Amino acid sequence: MASLDLRPAKGTILYEFLRLGLVFDHSDGDSQTWMDYGHALRADITAPDATEVKLTDLTTRLPVTIPVSQLADTDAIVTWKSDDPTATTTKNGQ
């Protein structure tokens, strides 16, 4: 009996989102929103083949837009709720 593999291909946006703990939330046309509810993280792309992703810490409302290619080198995305909020921050020099 054969298996049907529904996992996204390695290196795709969807693969990287899932690897980083995000789950699909909703779409609006070609735009998609992915969430990590536990860490209050939102990721938005404008198309399935987008070259940039907008990441927003929903607690602080601080966004950052990065190239999708940078996701492959990312081990974790630190938000106010994912780590000790009183620890020193290096986010965008703030």
Side-chain angles (χ1 to χ4, degrees), residues 10-17 19-20 44-45 47-55 65-75 77:
K10 200 170 192 176
T12 63
I13 296 171
L14 302 182
Y15 175 88
E16 297 301 339
F17 282 171
R19 183 184 62 79
L20 291 165
D44 292 289
I45 55 174
D49 59 350
T51 58
E52 293 184 329
V53 59
K54 180 180 177 183
L55 301 165
T65 300
I66 63 167
V68 168
S69 60
Q70 189 174 335
L71 290 176
D73 296 328
T74 302
D75 293 329
I77 300 170

Side-chain angles (χ1 to χ4, degrees), residues 3-89:
S3 295
L4 180 61
D5 190 347
L6 296 178
R7 297 174 293 181
K10 200 170 192 176
T12 63
I13 296 171
L14 302 182
Y15 175 88
E16 297 301 339
F17 282 171
L18 293 168
R19 183 184 62 79
L20 291 165
L22 294 151
V23 296
F24 178 76
D25 184 77
H26 68 276
S27 62
D28 183 14
D30 282 341
S31 299
Q32 294 182 7
T33 297
W34 289 70
M35 301 289 293
D36 178 339
Y37 297 106
H39 294 143
L41 173 66
R42 176 180 172 149
D44 292 289
I45 55 174
T46 57
D49 59 350
T51 58
E52 293 184 329
V53 59
K54 180 180 177 183
L55 301 165
T56 304
D57 180 330
L58 294 176
T59 303
T60 64
R61 304 297 287 165
L62 293 173
V64 63
T65 300
I66 63 167
V68 168
S69 60
Q70 189 174 335
L71 290 176
D73 296 328
T74 302
D75 293 329
I77 300 170
V78 181
T79 65
W80 187 262
K81 290 190 174 185
S82 71
D83 201 9
D84 176 3
T86 62
T88 302
T89 182

